[in-house]
């Protein structure tokens, strides 16, 4: 398959001339997952995204496929069960992306602590049962205070009681999006980035029947006709609905901003992902995560009312996170100037669902009475004096002090919604990356129902729980072995071991196609052989249209390899300009776009480094 600038032109011609079964607006993770399921199910599918794929929100997460242990502080068992089960599904269909990476959760003797050592152990045992890892190498265990400090000597010892260790998964969010997009394209979908919706079209009966869009590369405006229109634009969901002059709907989104900061691991070293209370008695928790030779931490979670397309890191975000990190790791003494890179993203919360629970701030507080009942019955069960059904009865009857309403039958997962407006516009919004496939499943099922009912078109929904994304044709039970075999194949072709492992981990079962480029391309001066192959593969097979696409979202070079970024920017730009035959004007435009992104990531304004 070729998924390149030339393919883009062909797809646009199809979008101009043919009527689609479904037009998906938004190329983040939910739109990408919906496009995969629709295309694989045989629907004539189009997707338009006004930026690069994943650029808006889905490349700006904490980069975990998180299991939701935090929900068990309120014994929200159903949510955790759904989350860990779906996480296993995602790991099965994209085994080269989510990777097991056990999390350590230190417990401090502080007011309003999320967990005590006892309640943490109860929660982890229940979590393991829900995740199906009891008795495996990934089963949880606890650490004494001394064992925690031996593992993380920089961690503050004052008030430290111990820690728990439980299974979690790291993720490459932007890669998960592009691999869904590529699979959809392989299955005949027409996936077009840099295509901005400027209006919703309607047929003579007032039904949503497509969209008017502007090609941001050429300035051309076209009309795309479709039987069903699906809105998967995340924080922009209200914006799209407000474009639709046939509906009258109140805004439903309440975006919050999350910030992450990256430092060198020589400044702050953690051997594994770490997750703890902020220590500010604000009911929130933060992550500290090793990646490449770096350590990143976050996240903030604050209401956001600014430019949706350009959330930025503010001084108060930095102050908040550094205060927490320097309290938990006093010897690190991290300052603003130690921050090598950063990112700010928006979480598309739905206002009706109440406060954010992204990193621990769950408004559903279990009553003291119910908490006592749960702890008592679990302890009895562990001692053999209570049966499983007795535990289940107690868990089913938990009472909360501030319960959310969850009576909406269209709710697909925690904090997500599926709405069909009176003109047929389908909007799926909210949710978490872990739930993306289920959200997409519900949206595509609704689309198929409409096509059958209103257009007499019948499609059979694929079993997306067993349908790999692009690059995912790897045995999930043998990921390490198969990845190593792919890497050794690269070594045999002349790559170094580190280069070959990097490519194998990035591209999964597509790695041989990357190696095939050795016969077509010469190593670019100023780039490693691996970076040369990766760049050409991104341009030819991953719709990387700009240097920012490649350096930020097809790879994580800007975020986690900041040391070598400056040296490869010019070679990357020059090779992309040569390959795509850019004019001087276009080259300058993309150079300035990348320079702006790097300056924002570097926090140059806050550091006073702006020229």
């Amino acid at each position: 398959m070729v998924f390149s600038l030339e393919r883009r032109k062909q797809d646009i011609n199809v979008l101009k001339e043919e009527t689609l079964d479904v037009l998906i607006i938004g190329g983040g993770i939910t739109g990408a997952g919906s496009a995969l399921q629709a295309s694989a199910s045989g629907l004539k599918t189009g997707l338009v995204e006004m930026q690069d794929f994943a650029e808006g929100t889905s490349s700006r997460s904490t980069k975990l496929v998180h299991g939701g242990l935090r929900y068990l502080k309120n014994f929200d068992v159903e949510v955790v069960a759904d989350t860990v089960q779906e996480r296993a599904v995602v790991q099965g269909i994209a085994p080269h992306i989510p990777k097991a990476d056990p999390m350590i959760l230190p417990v401090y003797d502080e007011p309003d602590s999320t967990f005590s050592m006892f309640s943490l152990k109860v929660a982890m045992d229940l979590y393991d049962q829900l995740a199906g890892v009891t008795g495996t190498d990934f089963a949880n265990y606890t650490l004494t205070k001394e064992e925690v400090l031996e593992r993380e000597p920089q961690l503050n010892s004052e008030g430290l009681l111990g820690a728990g260790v439980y299974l979690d998964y790291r993720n490459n969010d932007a890669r998960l999006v592009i691999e869904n997009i590529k699979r959809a394209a392989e299955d005949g979908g027409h996936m077009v980035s840099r295509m901005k919706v400027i209006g919703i079209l309607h047929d003579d009966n007032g039904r949503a029947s497509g969209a008017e869009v502007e090609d941001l590369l050429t300035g051309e405006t076209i009309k795309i006709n479709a039987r069903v229109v699906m809105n998967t634009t995340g924080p922009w969901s209200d914006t799209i609905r407000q474009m639709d002059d046939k509906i009258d709907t109140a805004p439903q989104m309440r975006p919050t901003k999350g910030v992450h900061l990256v430092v060198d691991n020589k400044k702050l070293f953690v051997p594994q992902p770490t997750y703890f209370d902020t220590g500010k008695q604000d009911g929130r928790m933060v992550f500290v995560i090793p990646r490449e030779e770096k350590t990143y931490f976050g996240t903030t979670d604050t209401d956001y009312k600014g430019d949706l397309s350009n959330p930025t890191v503010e001084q108060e975000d930095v102050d908040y996170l550094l205060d927490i990190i320097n309290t938990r790791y006093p010897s690190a003494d991290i300052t603003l100037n130690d921050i090598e890179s950063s990112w700010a993203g928006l979480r598309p919360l739905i206002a009706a669902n109440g406060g954010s629970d992204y990193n621990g701030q769950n408004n559903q507080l279990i009553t003291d009475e119910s908490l006592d009942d749960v702890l008592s019955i679990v302890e009895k069960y562990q001692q053999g004096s209570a049966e499983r059904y007795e535990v289940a009865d107690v868990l089913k009857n938990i009472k909360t002090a501030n319960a959310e309403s969850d009576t909406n039958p269209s709710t697909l997962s925690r904090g997500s919604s599926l709405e069909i407006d009176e003109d047929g516009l389908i909007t799926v919004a909210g949710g978490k990356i872990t739930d993306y496939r289920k959200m997409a499943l519900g949206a595509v099922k609704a689309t198929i129902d409409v096509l059958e009912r209103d257009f007499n078109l019948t499609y059979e929904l694929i079993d997306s729980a067993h349908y790999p994304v692009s690059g995912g044709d790897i045995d999930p039970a043998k990921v390490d072995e198969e990845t190593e075999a792919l890497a050794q194949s690269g070594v045999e072709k002349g790559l170094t071991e580190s280069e070959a492992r990097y490519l194998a981990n990035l591209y999964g079962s597509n790695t041989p196609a990357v190696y095939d480029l050795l016969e077509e391309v010469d190593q670019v001066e100023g780039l490693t052989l691996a970076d040369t192959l990766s760049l050409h593969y991104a341009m030819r097979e991953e719709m990387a249209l700009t240097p920012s696409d490649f350096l930020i979202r097809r790879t994580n070079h800007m975020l986690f390899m900041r040391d070598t970024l400056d040296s490869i920017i010019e070679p990357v730009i020059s090779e992309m300009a040569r390959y795509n035959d850019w004019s001087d004007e276009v080259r300058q435009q993309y150079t300035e776009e990348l320079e702006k992104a790097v300056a924002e990531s570097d926090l140059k304004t806050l550091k006073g480094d702006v020229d």
Side-chain angles (χ1 to χ4, degrees), residues 124-193:
M124 292 193 304
D125 286 346
L126 185 54
Y127 177 92
D128 280 6
Q129 292 180 44
L130 296 170
V133 297
T134 301
T136 73
D137 291 343
F138 290 122
N140 80 81
Y141 56 93
T142 58
L143 300 173
T144 65
K145 174 180 178 177
E146 292 71 26
E147 289 169 332
V148 176
L149 294 174
E150 184 178 352
R151 189 173 296 196
E152 290 199 25
Q154 285 184 282
L155 200 60
N156 194 340
S157 63
E158 185 177 351
L160 180 65
L161 299 174
V165 180
Y166 65 96
L167 177 63
D168 218 333
Y169 282 75
R170 67 184 182 272
N171 184 35
N172 189 326
D173 47 11
R175 292 295 316 169
L176 188 60
V177 173
I178 195 62
E179 299 291 34
N180 273 271
I181 290 285
K182 286 159 59 182
R183 180 66 84 188
E186 290 172 24
D187 288 336
H190 307 287
M191 314 287 108
V192 185
S193 60

Side-chain angles (χ1 to χ4, degrees), residues 521-529 531-532 535-536 571-572 574-575 578:
V521 302
D522 295 323
Q523 184 171 344
V524 175
E525 185 177 353
L527 298 182
T528 65
L529 184 54
D531 282 340
T532 298
L535 174 60
H536 272 270
V572 165
S574 295
E575 184 64 4
R578 183 198 67 78

Side-chain angles (χ1 to χ4, degrees), residues 301-374:
D301 200 7
T302 53
D303 282 316
Y304 183 78
K305 300 185 184 303
D307 179 4
L308 294 178
S309 62
N310 191 36
T312 57
V313 180
E314 307 294 337
Q315 185 67 51
E316 61 186 328
D317 303 319
V318 175
D319 291 344
Y320 177 79
L321 289 174
L322 290 190
D323 185 41
I324 294 167
I325 296 304
N326 286 327
T327 298
R328 290 300 189 216
Y329 300 94
S331 65
D333 192 24
I334 298 170
T335 68
L336 173 63
N337 288 327
D338 292 316
I339 300 168
E340 295 188 359
S341 55
S342 65
W343 69 93
L346 301 181
R347 185 163 188 248
L349 295 177
I350 297 170
N353 286 338
S356 171
D357 55 18
Y358 180 70
N359 59 352
Q361 189 176 350
N362 188 334
N363 287 347
Q364 247 186 312
L365 300 177
I366 187 171
T367 64
D368 291 340
E369 181 183 5
S370 284
L371 178 59
D372 291 341
D373 290 343
V374 169

Side-chain angles (χ1 to χ4, degrees), residues 21 44 189 237 245 268 277 318 352 368 381 431 445 479 485 559 606 608:
D21 288 320
K44 185 173 288 185
S237 295
D245 58 15
L268 175 60
D277 288 319
V318 175
D368 291 340
Y381 176 71
K445 183 180 185 304
V479 176
L559 298 182
L606 298 186

Side-chain angles (χ1 to χ4, degrees), residues 69 72 75 115-129 140 142 371 374-379 382 391 395:
L69 178 73
L72 287 180
F75 294 93
F115 292 108
S116 66
M117 287 301 296
F118 175 71
S119 65
L120 176 59
K121 181 58 177 171
V122 171
M124 292 193 304
D125 286 346
L126 185 54
Y127 177 92
D128 280 6
Q129 292 180 44
N140 80 81
T142 58
L371 178 59
V374 169
L375 294 177
S376 174
I377 194 67
V378 171
E379 185 175 17
Q382 290 178 325
V391 178
L395 294 175

Side-chain angles (χ1 to χ4, degrees), residues 466-524:
H466 298 92
Y467 193 79
V469 304
S470 184
D473 293 308
I474 291 175
D475 184 347
K478 299 180 180 179
V479 176
D480 291 342
E481 298 93 321
E482 294 195 20
T483 301
E484 183 60 23
L486 288 167
Q488 289 307 311
S489 174
V491 172
E492 293 168 7
K493 294 177 182 293
L495 290 154
T496 66
E497 285 201 8
S498 63
E499 287 179 325
R501 287 198 178 99
Y502 169 75
L503 294 176
N505 277 288
L506 200 62
Y507 298 113
S509 61
N510 286 325
T511 306
V514 180
Y515 294 158
D516 287 345
L517 294 173
L518 285 165
E519 301 176 6
E520 299 183 39
V521 302
D522 295 323
Q523 184 171 344
V524 175

Side-chain angles (χ1 to χ4, degrees), residues 557 561-571 598 602:
H557 213 116
M561 292 173 271
R562 184 64 185 86
D563 316 68
T564 59
L565 179 66
D566 292 338
S567 67
I568 71 168
I569 284 177
E570 182 56 33
V598 173
D602 285 354

